[in-house]
Amino acid sequence: MKKWTLNSWKKFPVKHLPEYRDQKELDLVLSKVKKYPPLVFAGESRSLKKALADVVRGKAFLLQGGDCAESFAEFHPDNIRDTFKIILQMSLVLTASASVPVVKVGRIAGQFSKPRSAPTEKKEGKELPSYLGDNINGMEFTEKSRQPDAKRLFRAYSQSASTLNLLRAFSQGGFADLRQVHLWNLGFIKDKTKGKYREIEDKISDALAFMEACGINSDNNRRLRAVNFYTSHEALHLPFEQAMTRVDSTTGEYHDTSAHFVWIGDRTRQLDGAHVEFCKGIKNPIGLKCGPTLKSDELIKLCNILNPNNEPGRMTLISRFGADNVEKYLPKLIKSVKKEGLNVVWSCDPMHGNTIKAATGFKTRTFDSVVKEVKNFFAVSQSEGSYAGGLHIEMTGQDVTECTGGAQKISEKDLSNRYRTHCDPRLNADQALELAFLISEEIKKNSKISNKIIQAAS
Ligand code: PEP
Ligand code: CO
């Protein structure tokens, strides 16, 4: 086997990388990025891997969410705050239902590059390169804007660094206080659902009152007011990921320090491809998107390449088949992973298999199809005796109108009101939180499986 090096991926076929006209400029930008401080510390990625190992064992649940594509235009402290806030609110609901801790991972502080289904886009007879994400080119439909510009990587790095800085402050500085998160959820139930889902919050109120009576509250217990929050994105732009990969001085291992967790997309997971080669050598926890074209034997080979020591927490398999296709594709994959005894987290992305085009021309997803895919994922996992360990969603804390349905009953006609995404349609704040409430029954049943796994292991 050929030796892995930082740039060994360059010898493998590569898909979805931008073609820069000015290669010299790209090299110059990357040589500077290489010297920039890491965004995360390797020790933090190791902590996340440990937390994900708990998910593998059925002792925790993974919640991963954020924008499809972060953008320069939507960069604002309020947007960062509101996305973080909804992730906390969802986590509280999920924790109360599952009675296990929730591992919180944002698609944030680096989720810029996008693989696109077509290399070009046509509008009114004009054909231009597709938009590939704000760290590569611009959304504006002009020749100039659609040219990949290496200098955009600087701006993306800087945005990621300040986003992460604020997230760290929110996580540790008191914003994540459990009492406060509970109050936000009570507000949502009262104002948006006419009291529906009250039962879950009542349970939380009782638990908080009980703890308070025992003298445990967020004033005297840090764990009730601080959270661990991790970042993630698709490791698509390999030249940038390479520039951010450093040797961890405490262990001598390579870590991609652009995020705690990176994943390989459904379009770039070829066994002999550059993205798999790159991810093989970094020690971060890795995600792998599993779509309808993935064969069982291919999946096993990918897991063996990416996780040769079968380390729990290293691999997260993210199922994304579409609401009506889960039963068709997922059981086979779960069976072969079980048969091989592979330690993986199974997570569900109910977004990417459910994208449709509305009559009004907008790319959208129905809230019902999103809920249905998650429920089917839980049902299949249950019948296969496998622990459904996570949820991976595209969402925002803003009140956008990008996905139809939900408590606000967003219709196709409403989509144009606040359609702001730079790529795929996201659940808005209410839809994301409602999703957490709607799957609470499935999550509860899920904990029966985790108890079995825990018992079997002990
Ligand atoms: C994504 O998660 O943004 C994405 C492009 O997903 P997939 O690779 O599953 O299509
Ligand atoms: Co997307």
Side-chain angles (χ1 to χ4, degrees):
M1 210 163 38
K2 287 198 199 87
K3 195 175 170 290
W4 184 91
T5 58
L6 254 186
N7 63 5
S8 53
W9 62 268
K10 289 188 176 165
K11 297 197 196 86
F12 292 75
V14 68
K15 290 191 176 173
H16 295 280
L17 276 196
E19 282 170 28
Y20 291 92
R21 273 191 187 158
D22 190 343
Q23 189 64 39
K24 269 205 192 114
E25 185 182 49
L26 175 68
D27 292 343
L28 187 69
V29 167
L30 294 171
S31 69
K32 289 192 176 160
V33 170
K34 244 191 234 168
K35 292 184 207 141
Y36 284 1
L39 290 170
V40 304
F41 165 54
E44 296 175 313
S45 294
R46 276 191 288 274
S47 305
L48 172 58
K49 209 190 267 179
K50 260 199 195 149
L52 291 171
D54 282 344
V55 180
V56 175
R57 296 182 192 109
K59 291 182 177 173
F61 188 80
L62 164 68
L63 174 63
Q64 188 169 14
D67 289 329
C68 175
E70 285 173 283
S71 65
F72 298 158
E74 281 202 312
F75 181 42
H76 192 284
D78 292 357
N79 291 349
I80 300 166
R81 178 198 63 201
D82 293 340
T83 294
F84 179 67
K85 188 174 156 188
I86 287 293
I87 292 179
L88 293 178
Q89 290 182 257
M90 292 179 77
S91 296
L92 182 58
V93 176
L94 297 173
T95 306
S97 317
S99 303
V100 292
V102 170
V103 182
K104 302 167 212 24
V105 182
R107 286 177 62 115
I108 200 165
Q111 172 52 23
F112 288 99
S113 308
K114 300 308 300 175
R116 303 308 304 268
S117 21
T120 60
E121 186 183 345
K122 274 189 202 140
K123 244 189 220 172
E124 290 153 14
K126 200 163 139 189
E127 188 170 0
L128 290 175
S130 293
Y131 168 65
L132 301 173
D134 269 9
N135 65 350
I136 299 173
N137 61 4
M139 239 207 349
E140 205 191 334
F141 196 71
T142 62
E143 177 78 41
K144 186 165 180 287
S145 157
R146 291 293 170 95
Q147 263 317 309
D149 174 359
K151 287 192 296 303
R152 283 176 166 267
L153 292 170
F154 289 142
R155 193 160 165 200
Y157 172 92
S158 145
Q159 181 167 324
S160 302
S162 44
T163 300
L164 195 48
N165 184 51
L166 189 58
L167 288 169
R168 289 185 191 281
F170 283 149
S171 312
Q172 303 301 318
F175 184 80
D177 190 319
L178 198 62
R179 280 181 301 202
Q180 185 57 53
V181 180
H182 176 49
L183 287 178
W184 291 329
N185 280 0
L186 287 176
F188 169 79
I189 288 170
K190 188 165 154 272
D191 303 339
K192 305 284 177 64
T193 73
K194 301 195 187 96
K196 212 165 138 196
Y197 316 124
R198 173 101 227 169
E199 219 176 286
I200 296 173
E201 290 304 319
D202 283 348
K203 188 174 149 189
I204 299 169
S205 299
D206 289 347
L208 286 173
F210 175 73
M211 282 196 291
E212 182 78 54
C214 298
I216 305 165
N217 58 45
S218 45
D219 298 325
N220 61 24
N221 194 314
R222 224 188 112 65
R223 297 193 70 165
L224 297 181
R225 63 169 193 274
V227 295
N228 289 327
F229 188 81
Y230 300 98
T231 60
S232 70
H233 61 256
E234 179 173 348
L236 187 67
H237 196 301
L238 294 180
F240 179 78
E241 300 303 332
Q242 179 189 330
M244 289 302 294
T245 297
R246 317 285 164 80
V247 175
D248 167 31
S249 58
T250 63
T251 59
E253 296 168 342
Y254 282 100
H255 277 256
D256 184 344
T257 65
S258 67
H260 301 106
F261 176 111
V262 290
W263 74 85
I264 304 173
D266 198 43
R267 279 159 264 209
T268 48
R269 55 168 166 68
Q270 299 75 29
L271 275 166
D272 62 347
H275 290 84
V276 170
E277 169 66 15
F278 175 75
C279 288
K280 195 171 94 183
I282 55 171
K283 293 294 176 201
N284 308 54
I286 300 285
L288 181 74
K289 290 291 197 92
C290 305
T293 58
L294 179 62
K295 301 275 172 298
S296 300
D297 57 336
E298 224 180 327
L299 174 60
I300 302 306
K301 282 184 193 149
L302 282 166
C303 289
N304 288 332
I305 293 174
L306 291 163
N307 191 17
N309 299 327
N310 202 14
E311 189 189 357
R314 158 77 169 172
M315 288 299 294
T316 297
L317 304 181
I318 308 164
S319 130
R320 36 89 79 220
F321 297 112
D324 296 326
N325 285 325
V326 181
E327 277 120 344
K328 186 169 168 200
Y329 297 108
L330 185 60
K332 277 184 258 176
L333 299 185
I334 293 185
K335 280 192 179 84
S336 33
V337 164
K338 269 189 111 177
K339 188 163 158 247
E340 297 294 320
L342 300 181
N343 293 316
V344 301
V345 169
W346 275 110
S347 177
C348 170
D349 163 359
M351 314 302 295
H352 289 90
N354 295 312
T355 318
I356 52 169
K357 199 166 184 170
T360 43
F362 286 97
K363 229 207 264 185
T364 189
R365 290 157 176 159
T366 69
F367 182 65
D368 288 348
S369 65
V370 169
V371 176
K372 189 171 169 196
E373 177 149 1
V374 183
K375 290 196 172 182
N376 287 346
F377 170 79
F378 274 93
V380 165
S381 302
Q382 178 123 36
S383 56
E384 295 299 327
S386 163
Y387 179 62
L391 180 62
H392 179 122
I393 54 170
E394 288 183 342
M395 42 80 66
T396 169
Q398 306 305 296
D399 184 23
V400 299
T401 51
E402 297 170 6
C403 293
T404 58
Q408 292 159 292
K409 296 195 174 63
I410 295 172
S411 71
E412 289 201 352
K413 266 202 238 107
D414 300 326
L415 292 176
S416 62
N417 294 348
R418 290 177 303 284
Y419 195 93
R420 298 192 189 125
T421 182
H422 273 53
C423 195
D424 289 340
R426 304 160 291 183
L427 297 177
N428 67 22
D430 289 354
Q431 288 168 329
L433 187 52
E434 190 170 9
L435 173 64
F437 280 111
L438 281 171
I439 60 170
S440 65
E441 280 309 311
E442 278 69 22
I443 296 249
K444 251 188 237 163
K445 283 187 226 147
N446 199 28
S447 61
K448 291 202 188 108
I449 296 211
S450 67
N451 287 339
K452 266 195 208 149
I453 299 175
I454 295 167
Q455 273 166 9
S458 61

